[in-house]
Amino acid sequence: MSTIEFSTQFDRLRRTLFSFALNLTKDEESARDLVQETAFKAFKYRDRYEPQTNLRAWLMTIMRNSFINEYRKRKRRQTLNDNTSNDYLLDSGHQSVSNQGESTVMQEEIIKVVNTLEDWVRIPFLMHFQGFKYEEIADELDVPLGTIKSRIFFARQKLQAQMRKLYTAKQIEDILG
């Protein structure tokens, strides 16, 4: 298929492609960009198109794959668009001060709660927390692997319950003064 024939057939499908792009992006500007990206890839790889096959389906596949790839890229980047004007200069101050107080208090409280656990759940939990794998803990304590997993699970459950009680009680105490 010649470039002129391919171009003519592409132009006939442009409205259909735009409609499909609009359905994917839900935004006219993004839909136009997607149609343009599809056109670029279609013309770049037109030698891979098999004549006598469904050009519309081939183009829509290119479009869908381009949309999915762009979506995945954006999701990986997790970028935020800032549409405000940059009329203000902010002093970012190359110095930052970190306050470890709150995290230190919470860490101490967690350690206290962990120390209240019974040995049969505390020891496997602490070993797992220190980086041991389940299999290593099971070998070290000479306990079946499933038992180790359930003990660590029980330890997590008990810790969560104790922390909920602790923070609910502290919140009430803070409110009452």
Side-chain angles (χ1 to χ4, degrees):
M1 176 181 293
S2 72
T3 306
I4 295 172
E5 292 172 333
F6 191 83
S7 179
T8 304
Q9 287 189 17
F10 184 88
D11 284 339
R12 285 186 200 142
L13 294 170
R14 189 174 293 275
R15 269 193 187 165
T16 305
L17 291 171
F18 179 75
S19 178
F20 183 57
L22 192 58
N23 188 29
L24 290 172
T25 63
K26 310 292 188 230
D27 177 56
E28 283 189 36
E29 192 65 34
S30 297
R32 285 189 199 98
D33 290 343
L34 188 56
V35 170
Q36 185 174 1
E37 178 72 17
T38 302
F40 172 75
K41 288 180 180 178
F43 281 93
K44 182 177 178 181
Y45 300 110
R46 75 180 170 86
D47 58 316
R48 295 185 185 174
Y49 171 68
E50 298 287 330
Q52 314 306 325
T53 60
N54 190 346
L55 179 64
R56 179 177 165 264
W58 187 72
L59 292 171
M60 287 187 161
T61 301
I62 292 172
M63 181 177 285
R64 188 191 73 229
N65 290 343
S66 296
F67 174 77
I68 291 169
N69 290 340
E70 183 61 30
Y71 174 80
R72 287 179 180 159
K73 277 187 213 172
R74 275 188 273 127
K75 189 161 179 125
R76 270 194 309 269
R77 282 191 222 132
Q78 293 292 320
T79 57
L80 298 173
N81 291 330
D82 182 13
N83 294 329
T84 59
S85 63
N86 293 325
D87 294 338
Y88 305 101
L89 297 175
L90 299 176
D91 181 15
S92 63
H94 295 289
Q95 297 174 343
S96 64
V97 178
S98 62
N99 183 354
Q100 299 291 326
E102 189 173 312
S103 62
T104 303
V105 170
M106 185 169 208
Q107 185 177 8
E108 289 171 0
E109 290 171 345
I110 292 172
I111 290 170
K112 285 179 187 175
V113 173
V114 168
N115 288 332
T116 65
L117 295 173
E118 299 90 4
D119 285 348
W120 65 276
V121 289
R122 182 174 46 83
I123 293 170
F125 176 79
L126 287 174
M127 289 177 76
H128 184 66
F129 181 73
Q130 292 169 354
F132 287 92
K133 293 185 169 50
Y134 289 122
E135 294 84 11
E136 294 171 332
I137 299 168
D139 291 342
E140 181 72 27
L141 299 177
D142 196 29
V143 177
L145 179 64
T147 303
I148 292 298
K149 288 181 178 182
S150 65
R151 287 180 180 179
I152 292 171
F153 173 79
F154 290 136
R156 287 181 181 145
Q157 294 292 323
K158 289 182 179 190
L159 284 173
Q160 288 175 356
Q162 291 294 332
M163 293 306 289
R164 280 190 200 107
K165 286 179 188 175
L166 180 67
Y167 277 97
T168 304
K170 280 193 173 212
Q171 291 168 348
I172 292 169
E173 185 179 305
D174 289 342
I175 292 170
L176 297 176

